[in-house]
Amino acid sequence: WLKRVPAALWSPSLLPVVHLFAMAEEETSWDKTIEEWLLADNVCYAGALAQVADFAFYAAAPVEAEAGWGFVYKEDHEEDVLQDDMSTKKKTINEATCLMEAVNKGRAPDGGFWLGGLKYQITQYEPEFEIGDNKFVCVIAARPKKGVHIVSTGSQVIAGFFDEEKGQTSGNCRKVVTAFAEYLKGIGY
């Protein structure tokens, strides 16, 4: 749209407007970028991005009808959590906290590791996974016939979700998630 602004009307005072437009455009493009990197060729059924600053997802795919959000995120919710004595106790689950604990410590917080309203078991934690000259934090979490690969670049967190019943595999999911992480690191994220 900037190209359509007549030269006579252009002034430096338009820069804040240009910046806001670029930010809004960038946010929607991240959803599509996730879709292109992770969902192409049916490798993952969903994907998301979060910043390490707060571990809250800010972009998700699939993009159409914002379906990705339904797969990757659920508002704070109460769950019955099994106690050592085999009783259950209600626990409020915050999924950003779950993601933070998984990336920073390689374990689930009290109450378990939840994303998209589903409970996963953390099965692998690699705090210094090397790709080329870069190091990443990698986490793998699983549940029956499903899983999620999580990679932190240091500033961003990528999550790719796979489902064996959709013909997807953990290995292919890991491959695209780590490739996307390498791309993000290469462009300064």
Side-chain angles (χ1 to χ4, degrees), residues 19-33 51 58-59 189:
H19 179 70
L20 284 173
F21 181 78
M23 285 173 35
E25 193 172 65
E26 183 177 295
E27 185 176 312
T28 59
S29 71
W30 281 120
D31 295 335
K32 290 179 182 171
T33 302
Q51 290 185 336
Y58 65 85
Y189 289 101

Side-chain angles (χ1 to χ4, degrees), residues 31-124:
D31 295 335
K32 290 179 182 171
T33 302
I34 295 166
E35 195 165 70
E36 290 165 7
W37 275 89
L38 305 182
L39 278 60
D41 302 321
N42 191 40
V43 176
C44 300
Y45 72 90
L49 278 172
Q51 290 185 336
V52 169
D54 63 6
F55 288 90
F57 288 137
Y58 65 85
V63 176
E64 187 175 331
E66 296 190 356
W69 288 106
F71 294 128
V72 305
Y73 174 75
K74 187 172 181 180
E75 295 274 346
D76 289 359
H77 49 101
E78 276 199 355
E79 297 290 343
D80 288 322
V81 176
L82 190 62
Q83 304 299 300
D84 290 337
D85 65 1
M86 304 310 280
S87 65
T88 59
K89 180 180 176 184
K90 291 271 186 207
K91 183 89 174 152
T92 300
I93 305 298
N94 176 281
E95 294 186 355
T97 300
C98 290
L99 191 58
M100 179 183 68
E101 289 283 318
V103 170
N104 289 341
K105 298 178 182 173
R107 64 175 190 250
D110 187 32
F113 180 68
W114 297 76
L115 290 177
L118 299 175
K119 187 175 184 181
Y120 293 83
Q121 296 297 318
I122 295 174
T123 59
Q124 191 171 343

